[in-house]
């Protein structure tokens, strides 16, 4: 007992490495751990926030690509699908990178990588640039999509189990707000400088990225005990619940990020007479991502109180209703009704982000009663897999809009596809987690 009390309280090996980290020890946490964890959380949120903004940068930049660029709506939807695809693919290696390089070190690296798409977009986007170049620029912006996975893995290691839900919720919500923030930056540039200066939007983020890098370098820490669980991803991939939750997360986070990328474009195409200039669309594009980000912790809180599966089930019904309103408004050409439906989709996708993430640790706690380590090992891996696959939902949303406009000159077919997918998610949630059955996991 005496030896334990004499152990140093967060000993530094060298630089910013900590090899004595005991968050579950209440005395350690109250006297030493909490301030260190809080400091790392603050700078993690800032870096992740900038990462989300760079990832969704092209949701704004496409509003600047007027007739001089010669790109039709289908081409613009492809420009927003590409960074969503790259960002989703990077989430799994970014999850592993924290344990391989250290949370602080990887945050420095991942934040520094954001300079590449920001600098390229700041100087290369101008009339006459080839579409291939624009596709490559959009693809490079995908590096911002991986930051969420590494940030969540890093903060997960700093906090005790009793505070992980709060810490991860704050971390995720702060990052998601980057989607709304870049929309506001785009609105500012359009209103002040006009549609002829897309590079300014990216340029504004260059000094912010530098601040994120410096803040991470000076104020964050690495934990030597943070290690990837052996065979975690392999074992998680063999679990049927992994793929069920990945499907549901496509419907929640995939919708959120996909609509975040596409909303401004859809307004300009669907209601061209009302949004004949990019600035008019930009006045509204930030609202949905803002509300969806702010309400994400509410989904987690409701899941704690009512059960994750119940909240997710009701939420997908609400999302199907929201998509139905959007479809009706599109056919009636009613802009107010259209905005109501789309804002509802953002809000409910945010609630669903929180409730589905809450379901994952609960599922594996129920499957592994009494074995907390195994439950954490599998749920951590599943969160990484579901987060990566969920991000691909953003690709599917933009491709659905693209194909709908190409084939029917309207987005109605895409809305019907969304309604069908949400109905599938309702059915799956009920059949697997809510239907009365001896094989059902009670209490998810």
């Amino acid at each position: 007992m005496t030896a334990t009390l004499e152990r140093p309280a967060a000993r530094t090996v060298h630089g910013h490495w900590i090899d004595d980290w005991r968050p579950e020890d209440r005395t350690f946490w109250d006297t030493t751990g909490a301030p260190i964890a809080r400091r790392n959380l603050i700078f993690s949120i800032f870096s992740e926030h900038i990462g989300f903004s760079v990832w969704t940068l092209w949701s704004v930049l496409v509003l600047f690509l007027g007739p001089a660029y010669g790109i039709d709506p289908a081409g613009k939807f492809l420009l927003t699908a590409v960074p969503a695809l790259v960002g989703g693919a990077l989430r799994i290696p970014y999850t592993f990178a924290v344990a391989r390089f250290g949370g602080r070190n990887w945050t420095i690296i991942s934040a520094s990588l954001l300079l590449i798409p920001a600098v390229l977009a700041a100087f290369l986007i101008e009339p006459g640039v080839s579409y291939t170049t624009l596709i490559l620029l959009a693809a490079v912006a995908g590096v911002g999509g991986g930051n969420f996975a590494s940030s969540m893995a890093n903060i997960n290691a700093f906090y005790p189990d009793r505070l992980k839900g709060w810490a991860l919720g704050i971390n995720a919500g702060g990052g998601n707000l980057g989607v709304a923030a870049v929309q506001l930056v785009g609105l500012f540039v359009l209103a002040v400088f006009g549609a002829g200066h897309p590079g300014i939007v990216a340029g504004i983020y260059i000094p912010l990225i530098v601040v994120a890098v410096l803040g991470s370098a000076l104020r964050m820490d690495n934990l030597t005990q943070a290690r990837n669980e052996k065979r975690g991803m392999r074992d998680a991939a063999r679990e049927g619940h992994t793929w069920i939750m990945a499907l549901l997360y496509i419907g929640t986070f995939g919708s959120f990020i996909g609509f975040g990328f596409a909303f401004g474009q859809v307004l300009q195409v669907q209601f061209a007479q009302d949004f004949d200039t990019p600035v008019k669309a930009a006045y509204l594009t930030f609202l949905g991502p803002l509300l969806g980000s702010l309400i994400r912790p509410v989904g987690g809180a409701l899941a704690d109180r009512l059960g994750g599966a119940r909240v997710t089930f009701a939420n997908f019904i609400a999302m199907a209703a929201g998509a139905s309103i959007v479809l009706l408004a599109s056919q009636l050409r009613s802009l107010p009704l259209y905005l109501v439906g789309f804002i509802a989709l953002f809000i409910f996708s945010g609630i669903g982000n929180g409730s589905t993430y809450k379901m994952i640790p609960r599922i594996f706690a129920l499957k592994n009663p009494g074995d907390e380590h195994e439950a954490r090992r599998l749920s951590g891996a599943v969160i990484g897999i579901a987060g990566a696959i969920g991000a691909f939902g953003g690709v599917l949303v933009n491709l659905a809009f693209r194909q709908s406009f190409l084939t029917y000159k309207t987005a109605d077919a895409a809305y019907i596809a969304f309604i069908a997918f949400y109905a599938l998610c309702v059915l799956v949630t009920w059949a697997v987690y809510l239907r009365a059955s001896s094989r059902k996991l009670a209490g998810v």
Side-chain angles (χ1 to χ4, degrees):
M1 182 68 176
T2 303
T4 301
L5 293 175
E6 291 176 350
R7 289 176 63 190
R11 186 172 69 249
T12 299
V13 180
H14 60 276
H16 290 259
W17 284 92
I18 296 173
D19 70 347
D20 178 29
W21 189 251
R22 292 167 279 129
E24 303 298 343
D25 181 333
R26 288 291 187 117
T27 301
F28 172 87
W29 180 256
D30 292 338
T31 59
T32 303
I36 294 174
R38 190 181 308 114
R39 170 165 46 79
N40 279 271
L41 174 62
I42 290 170
F43 286 93
S44 175
I45 288 173
F46 182 71
S47 179
E48 184 195 349
H49 176 92
I50 301 300
F52 260 96
S53 291
V54 171
W55 188 27
T56 54
L57 185 64
W58 281 84
S59 68
V60 173
L61 293 180
V62 292
L63 299 179
F64 289 80
L65 304 182
Y69 290 84
I71 304 173
D72 62 9
K76 292 180 181 180
F77 281 118
L78 188 58
L79 283 173
T80 52
V82 168
L85 175 64
V86 175
L90 288 176
R91 283 190 164 193
I92 289 181
Y94 268 56
T95 299
F96 288 119
V98 170
R100 177 65 178 84
F101 299 101
R104 165 188 175 268
N105 294 351
W106 184 251
T107 304
I108 295 170
I109 294 169
S110 61
S112 299
L113 289 174
L114 300 176
L115 285 170
I116 299 173
V119 171
L120 292 177
F123 293 101
L124 296 182
I125 302 176
E126 58 184 15
V129 65
S130 70
Y131 186 70
T132 300
T133 299
L134 294 178
I135 286 286
L136 292 175
L137 294 181
V140 175
V143 296
N147 287 28
F148 173 84
S150 56
S151 180
M152 294 290 273
N154 184 39
I155 294 305
N156 183 65
F158 273 95
Y159 277 82
D161 284 347
R162 67 184 183 278
L163 296 177
K164 284 184 190 295
W166 171 83
L168 295 177
I170 294 294
N171 192 54
N176 288 172
L177 281 171
V179 182
V182 76
Q183 305 282 354
L184 289 172
V185 170
L187 173 60
F188 167 77
V189 173
L190 284 168
V192 176
F193 300 99
H197 303 279
I200 295 177
V201 179
I204 287 174
Y205 277 93
I206 294 175
L208 296 176
I209 294 169
V210 173
V211 171
V213 173
L214 292 176
S216 303
L218 296 174
R219 303 295 292 163
M220 292 187 71
D221 303 288
N222 303 302
L223 299 178
T224 57
Q225 71 184 50
R227 291 291 181 266
N228 294 314
E229 293 285 0
K230 292 182 179 180
R231 301 182 298 276
M233 287 286 182
R234 186 196 68 181
D235 292 344
R238 294 175 174 175
E239 280 282 353
H241 290 285
T242 298
W243 306 108
I244 293 169
M245 293 311 302
L247 174 74
L248 300 183
Y249 203 55
I250 287 175
T252 56
F253 180 76
S255 294
F256 172 81
I257 199 66
F259 294 147
F261 272 113
F263 190 32
Q265 297 180 73
V266 174
L267 284 177
Q268 281 199 295
V269 178
Q270 197 84 29
F271 296 93
Q273 70 280 7
D274 297 292
F275 300 98
D276 54 335
T277 64
V279 70
K280 291 181 179 179
Y283 276 120
L284 294 172
T285 52
F286 76 93
L287 186 59
L290 175 65
L291 294 175
S293 300
L294 291 176
I295 207 166
R296 178 170 181 151
V298 174
L302 286 173
D304 283 339
R305 184 180 180 87
L306 304 174
R310 289 180 180 178
V311 174
T312 299
F313 175 79
N315 192 74
F316 275 123
I317 293 175
M319 291 184 72
S324 299
I325 292 172
V326 171
L327 175 61
L328 177 62
S330 174
Q331 295 175 340
L332 297 176
R333 310 297 298 170
S334 171
L335 179 59
L337 188 61
Y338 187 86
L339 293 175
V340 167
F342 234 116
I343 296 301
L345 281 173
F346 274 110
I347 290 173
F348 289 117
S349 67
I351 292 175
N353 283 340
S355 66
T356 50
Y357 247 56
K358 284 286 185 178
M359 288 174 66
I360 293 173
R362 181 61 177 161
I363 288 169
F364 290 97
L366 291 170
K367 283 181 66 67
N368 299 277
D371 191 345
E372 294 181 5
H373 177 269
E374 180 68 2
R376 285 197 300 269
R377 184 179 79 90
L378 290 173
S379 62
V382 173
I383 284 173
I385 293 172
I389 295 176
F392 285 117
V395 182
L396 298 177
V397 167
N398 282 270
L399 291 181
F401 278 126
R402 180 179 185 272
Q403 192 59 44
S404 185
F405 280 115
L406 276 175
T407 305
Y408 303 106
K409 310 303 180 185
T410 176
D412 290 0
Y415 304 139
I416 293 172
F418 301 151
I419 294 168
F421 186 81
Y422 299 146
L424 173 64
C425 291
V426 169
L427 179 61
V428 169
T429 305
W430 173 80
V432 178
Y433 300 113
L434 295 176
R435 177 174 59 93
S437 168
S438 59
R439 300 176 61 185
K440 179 176 72 71
L441 289 175
V444 175

